[in-house]
Amino acid sequence: MIEKALRGNSRYWGWIGFLFIVIFVGFLFYLRQFGYGLGITGLNRDVTWGLYIAQFTFLVGVAASAVMVVLPYYLHDFKAFGKITILGETLAIASVVMCGTFIFVDMGQPLRIPNVFIFPSPNSLMFWDTIALGGYLVLNVIISINVIASEKKGTPPPGWIKPIILLSIPWAISIHTVTAFLYSGLAARPFWMTAILAPRFLASAFSGGPALLLLLVFLLRKFTRFDPGREPIQKLGLIITYAMTINVFFVLMEIFTAFYSGIPEHLDHFKFLYVGLHGNTTLVPWMWVSSILAVISLVLLYIPKTRNNETVLGLACVTVFVSIWIEKGLGMVITGFVPNPLGEVTRYWPTFTETMITIGVYAIGALIVTIFYKATLSIRGEVSV
Amino acid sequence: MTIDRRKFIKTAGLASLAGLVGKNVLGQDVSEVIEPGAFDRLAGLQSPLQAQRWAMAVDIKKCENQHDCTKCIDACHLVHNVPEFDNPKDEIKWIWKEPFEHAFHEQENEFQKTELIHSTPLLFCNHCDNPPCVSVCPTRATWKREDGIVMMDWHRCIGCRYCMAGCPYGSRSFNWRDPRPFIKNLQRDYPTRMRGVVEKCTFCDERLALGMLPACVEACDAGALVFGDLEDPEADIRKLLNDNFSIRRKPGLGTQPEIYYIVS
Amino acid sequence: MYDAGKIIIGLVVFIALVSYPVWYDAARGDIPTSVDPKIVTTEKECVAPTEYMKANHMDLLNQWRDNVVRKNIRVYTAESGRKFEMSLSHTCMDCHSNKSEFCDECHNYSGVNPYCWDCHIEPEEEQP
């Protein structure tokens, strides 16, 4: 399988080379952080988690979203997803690897991470999240490798893989639920302590993840002979429409509860997000962009004429993805810390080093996705070399 | 098990003796005190201060009467090698003062007694009975001792900062960078921390073990800090809480903080 | 064998890289061939026999650390019945106050870098 990823045209190698350079640059910046400490980021005593943990949370969603193609294909035997299911599963692998890397770069003492396994602490949701994510990675690696291998042999996947695939469906839900519990169980952070956090995470994951998958499908169709046909694209578009609707609905429910009840502990966080708090408006423009994009995406997705137009659908996917990235990859985590439990507002914004490390980790994910997609498409003869 | 009276008197005497040493430690000439033999540590270890449930009472009025006094903070930060940064971003604090409206965020009351509104209560780790930081720690690097102290193991902490997210009181600090260069007066008796771990007040576990009171309590000559065993009906802290009106920070969360603020 | 030349070059490069630490040290030339940690104290008795300490001092320190930090047990009773405070900075370093000639001597030789001193403060030594 892997040998298919070791041959390619100059454009392929150019892309791989570019990713390696980005990863290397990110690694150099990480060495700076490793030497100096996490103080090199914008984090501080009040805002103790930032860009890294937010990306972790966002990517757990992308990983979980594979279930949106796996479930129709394997559980409902929805044949049209036959060509793209493996793309979703391998995207999940890349996402979980990125999640792990983001956790790693966020640790103050990364070399002590084995302590999590040496002294397992079932009290801590982090322990369960490690199990959930590790298990999900193993499941998807087993599934993907076997499915790709049997495609290569031209045989149906072995029978024993089916129960593993079915297990991966609830497991996908569990990774994002447990990740939401990391936050929603904290009495100290009223912004996160809401029972709707896990459903909200799932809704945003099931819209943002498939939007990313659909964009990748469009890219593959442009640059290779890969073509899944019209049906799966339309179906994914519909899935994104429903999930995004539910996501926006959940956000509005949160906003209603906070603003109508008027409890300062809850309200202050939403004020910080949408109008600024004590003069701090760091996230305000971002959140409004996110909200406007969400509305635009829903308009584009609701009108059958625009949704059925693949160019517009692509545009809708971009708006969904960016909107959710801002909401989850920026707003969700930082706002839990602003204001802090004492009602104080402290500014946080990622530093250059922090941003470069983040980009480097994303490049690792892009590399994994590229390798898997290249191997899959080569086996199917959908790329030239 | 409660401390029997005789033992208490014995340890109290020892504590006051240790207090003399402690005062010296707080003074300028450090080398004098650090010399081995200045204090028989092994003897101290034979009569530690013990309790079933350590707690602290802070008398806001007595403390405020000292105006800009920072003796307890200075003492604590000195003996524990707490670094002093010139920026709030890297800040580490075990004890600190906070305006009343922040310290008691939930006690919103515009027409509260003026002296209370303008007070700046001392904040510590609350050594909660139900510490959220302990539940969330993925390595058991922080845990609750039987005597109520919420301890830290800096050898084990991986620096994930989940405890900081979980603490409703902002009592935990993280070493964003190597703290050593920012410790003005290095105390050889106590370790520093390395970068990348979380730290906080430990009710001076290392001093209790030697039969000494916490450094802040000893440093406070206004008697605004009273430390003792809540399970001991004879303890000063029990009488104090019995005779005065006291409040705790965010009692609604069910964490059962063990720092009591006397406001009457 | 196909591509014999490439394979042989590859192998040579691989072996050169793997053996790097050996020839780097050989080229540097100043590798100590023996260790001689100096004991400066007048104290006659360590907390455990010398042979045990040589081989297992790190285990003992780990035990002490866990006892003191995690269990609040701070007094160690040696086999002789004598009591010691379980403390690196006090008990150990009271006698072995010459960290550079005692601890570092073997640690440098065996290339280990214990992180004790990232936090614990070594006794001040007079500069030779």
Side-chain angles (χ1 to χ4, degrees):
Chain A
M1 188 196 119
I2 191 77
E3 76 281 358
K4 297 285 184 193
L6 292 176
R7 316 189 110 206
N9 57 21
S10 54
R11 203 169 56 192
Y12 173 71
W13 284 115
W15 170 242
I16 295 278
F18 168 74
L19 288 179
F20 265 111
I21 291 170
V22 176
I23 294 170
F24 183 69
V25 170
F27 178 71
L28 291 182
F29 277 100
Y30 180 70
L31 286 183
R32 276 188 64 190
Q33 181 187 300
F34 189 80
Y36 180 92
L38 277 165
I40 212 160
T41 66
L43 296 168
N44 50 63
R45 197 179 182 279
D46 288 326
V47 185
T48 50
W49 285 340
L51 196 60
Y52 299 148
I53 294 296
Q55 300 321 297
F56 159 79
T57 310
F58 176 75
L59 288 166
V60 172
V62 176
S65 76
V67 79
M68 287 289 103
V69 284
V70 172
L71 191 142
Y73 182 60
Y74 287 106
L75 208 61
H76 298 295
D77 207 21
F78 182 66
K79 293 276 192 298
F81 275 175
K83 277 192 153 183
I84 59 168
T85 301
I86 188 68
L87 301 184
E89 285 163 334
T90 47
L91 177 61
I93 295 178
S95 301
V96 178
V97 171
M98 285 189 274
C99 288
T101 317
F102 273 117
I103 292 291
F104 183 88
V105 300
D106 190 67
M107 291 296 122
Q109 285 289 331
L111 302 180
R112 290 186 192 164
I113 288 179
N115 282 359
V116 176
F117 307 99
I118 300 172
F119 311 108
S121 319
N123 272 338
S124 175
L125 262 305
M126 212 175 270
F127 169 78
W128 295 105
D129 213 25
T130 315
I131 292 179
L133 282 170
Y136 192 63
L137 180 64
V138 170
L139 287 179
N140 273 289
V141 167
I142 294 174
I143 294 167
S144 301
I145 287 181
N146 276 287
V147 169
I148 295 175
S150 48
E151 264 203 43
K152 191 181 174 189
K153 282 184 282 188
T155 57
W160 57 264
I161 203 88
K162 191 75 191 278
I164 296 183
I165 291 172
L166 294 181
L167 176 64
S168 82
I169 294 173
W171 205 292
I173 310 289
S174 85
I175 61 169
H176 220 20
T177 307
V178 177
T179 304
F181 285 177
L182 275 181
Y183 300 101
S184 66
L186 299 181
R189 311 284 165 182
F191 180 64
W192 297 332
M193 208 191 73
T194 162
I196 210 175
L197 200 69
R200 224 186 114 182
F201 271 16
L202 288 167
S204 59
F206 294 161
S207 44
L212 176 62
L213 184 64
L214 203 44
L215 288 172
L216 291 172
V217 165
F218 287 142
L219 276 179
L220 289 178
R221 205 174 58 176
K222 191 168 186 311
F223 290 108
T224 69
R225 288 197 296 275
F226 171 77
D227 186 7
R230 206 177 143 68
E231 202 189 352
I233 292 176
Q234 286 307 316
K235 211 56 163 187
L236 265 184
L238 205 59
I239 289 173
I240 296 167
T241 310
Y242 277 113
M244 189 61 180
T245 306
I246 296 170
N247 180 47
V248 170
F249 177 61
F250 283 173
V251 173
L252 290 174
M253 285 168 77
E254 285 269 55
I255 291 176
F256 166 79
T257 312
F259 277 86
Y260 195 82
S261 71
I263 302 173
E265 275 198 340
H266 296 261
L267 187 56
D268 283 352
H269 294 288
F270 287 90
K271 278 189 179 163
F272 168 71
L273 274 181
Y274 293 103
V275 293
L277 190 64
H278 304 324
N280 186 322
T281 54
T282 325
L283 289 182
V284 173
W286 291 86
M287 288 313 291
W288 282 105
V289 168
S290 170
S291 307
I292 292 166
L293 287 177
V295 172
I296 294 175
S297 74
L298 285 183
V299 171
L300 295 180
L301 289 168
Y302 282 162
I303 304 171
K305 209 171 170 183
T306 49
R307 190 178 65 235
N308 293 337
N309 179 325
E310 286 184 5
T311 317
V312 182
L313 181 59
L315 194 69
C317 286
V318 173
T319 56
V320 167
F321 184 80
V322 174
S323 170
I324 285 174
W325 184 83
I326 294 173
E327 181 197 312
K328 217 172 172 183
L330 219 50
M332 218 291 298
V333 170
I334 300 172
T335 310
F337 296 100
V338 188
N340 73 1
L342 286 75
E344 297 155 331
V345 172
T346 309
R347 191 188 142 81
Y348 160 80
W349 193 248
T351 58
F352 181 68
T353 304
E354 197 176 356
T355 312
M356 293 308 287
I357 293 172
T358 303
I359 293 173
V361 178
Y362 269 105
I364 295 175
L367 184 69
I368 295 171
V369 166
T370 305
I371 290 171
F372 271 119
Y373 284 14
K374 173 68 170 55
T376 310
L377 267 52
S378 297
I379 285 165
R380 294 179 183 162
E382 287 168 336
V383 276
S384 17
V385 196
Chain B
M1 176 191 77
T2 46
I3 318 179
D4 66 86
R5 259 191 114 63
R6 184 172 298 166
K7 190 173 174 204
F8 181 76
I9 291 161
K10 209 171 69 182
T11 48
L14 199 91
S16 57
L17 174 81
L20 291 175
V21 181
K23 287 255 163 48
N24 273 338
V25 172
L26 308 179
Q28 291 309 305
D29 193 3
V30 178
S31 54
E32 238 176 66
V33 203
I34 301 309
E35 260 179 69
F39 170 63
D40 186 350
R41 296 178 62 92
L42 206 51
L45 289 171
Q46 305 301 324
S47 45
L49 296 187
Q50 289 169 327
Q52 276 186 293
R53 187 173 163 199
W54 285 121
M56 175 108 77
V58 182
D59 190 321
I60 294 183
K61 198 172 183 177
K62 279 187 182 166
C63 180
E64 287 300 317
N65 283 344
Q66 303 300 306
H67 302 289
D68 295 322
C69 169
T70 55
K71 280 182 190 164
C72 58
I73 302 175
D74 298 341
C76 169
H77 287 189
L78 177 77
V79 300
H80 297 119
N81 287 322
V82 175
E84 205 173 300
F85 294 99
D86 51 8
N87 65 73
K89 185 182 177 309
D90 295 321
E91 194 177 34
I92 290 177
K93 43 194 185 188
W94 287 26
I95 310 179
W96 76 105
K97 287 183 173 183
E98 196 76 52
F100 186 84
E101 54 170 313
H102 290 156
F104 290 90
H105 196 43
E106 70 287 354
Q107 293 277 346
E108 226 267 322
N109 179 354
E110 196 187 336
F111 303 105
Q112 178 67 271
K113 253 171 135 179
T114 322
E115 56 174 28
L116 211 51
I117 288 187
H118 294 297
S119 68
T120 51
L122 289 164
L123 304 190
F124 311 72
C125 165
N126 274 302
H127 296 277
C128 306
D129 276 0
N130 304 310
C133 54
V134 168
S135 322
V136 299
C137 178
T139 60
R140 280 175 278 150
T142 190
W143 69 97
K144 190 159 181 68
R145 291 194 343 184
E146 281 186 1
D147 59 1
I149 293 177
V150 174
M151 262 298 278
M152 278 289 312
D153 186 345
W154 294 307
H155 307 92
R156 190 182 283 190
C157 174
I158 61 173
C160 70
R161 312 187 295 295
Y162 199 7
C163 56
M164 297 177 81
C167 175
Y169 305 102
S171 293
R172 289 174 166 264
S173 303
F174 182 73
N175 286 275
W176 296 103
R177 54 189 299 191
D178 182 14
R180 273 278 174 106
F182 300 91
I183 302 167
K184 287 207 186 94
N185 218 331
L186 208 57
Q187 300 297 303
R188 288 172 189 282
D189 270 2
Y190 201 76
T192 66
R193 265 67 63 197
M194 67 207 302
R195 62 158 191 267
V197 298
V198 172
E199 63 180 87
K200 65 168 196 76
C201 155
T202 65
F203 266 171
C204 284
D205 69 291
E206 82 288 359
R207 290 171 60 92
L208 297 175
L210 291 166
M212 305 179 186
L213 283 167
C216 54
V217 178
E218 214 164 74
C220 178
D221 37 31
L225 299 178
V226 176
F227 182 77
D229 183 0
L230 279 188
E231 300 292 332
D232 174 8
E234 300 298 311
D236 288 348
I237 186 165
R238 276 288 291 272
K239 288 176 193 149
L240 201 63
L241 293 176
N242 196 42
D243 297 345
N244 296 278
F245 182 70
S246 60
I247 54 175
R248 294 191 285 178
R249 296 174 69 199
K250 301 198 180 194
L253 298 183
T255 53
Q256 301 289 354
E258 292 296 2
I259 306 272
Y260 296 77
Y261 295 87
I262 292 168
V263 290
S264 53
Chain C
M1 191 160 73
Y2 299 110
D3 291 335
K6 280 184 194 167
I7 291 172
I8 288 167
I9 291 171
L11 278 176
V12 169
V13 170
F14 175 75
I15 289 167
L17 281 177
V18 167
S19 59
Y20 169 81
V22 177
W23 55 258
Y24 174 81
D25 270 358
R28 216 179 48 169
D30 57 349
I31 324 149
T33 48
S34 66
V35 283
D36 181 25
K38 283 191 184 58
I39 294 174
V40 290
T41 182
T42 51
E43 181 66 58
K44 290 281 175 289
E45 185 192 339
C46 190
V47 297
T50 311
E51 282 316 307
Y52 175 83
M53 289 307 282
K54 263 186 193 168
N56 301 309
H57 62 281
M58 59 297 261
D59 296 331
L60 184 88
L61 283 171
N62 277 350
Q63 277 171 26
W64 281 21
R65 177 195 69 196
D66 287 346
N67 277 331
V68 170
V69 178
R70 305 193 69 88
K71 298 179 192 154
N72 195 22
I73 301 170
R74 293 171 192 254
V75 179
Y76 179 77
T77 311
E79 254 171 58
S80 65
R82 190 171 154 190
K83 287 183 168 26
F84 293 92
E85 178 185 7
M86 290 193 251
S87 166
L88 170 68
S89 344
H90 289 107
T91 308
C92 301
M93 302 316 282
D94 276 356
C95 285
H96 304 288
S97 56
N98 54 337
K99 172 179 170 279
S100 60
E101 293 170 314
F102 185 72
C103 310
D104 296 350
E105 179 80 6
C106 298
H107 290 160
N108 288 343
Y109 175 75
S110 48
V112 293
N113 189 13
Y115 62 73
C116 311
W117 314 106
D118 286 3
C119 299
H120 294 275
I121 304 161
E122 66 257 40
E124 257 175 84
E125 288 181 57
E126 281 170 36
Q127 294 303 318

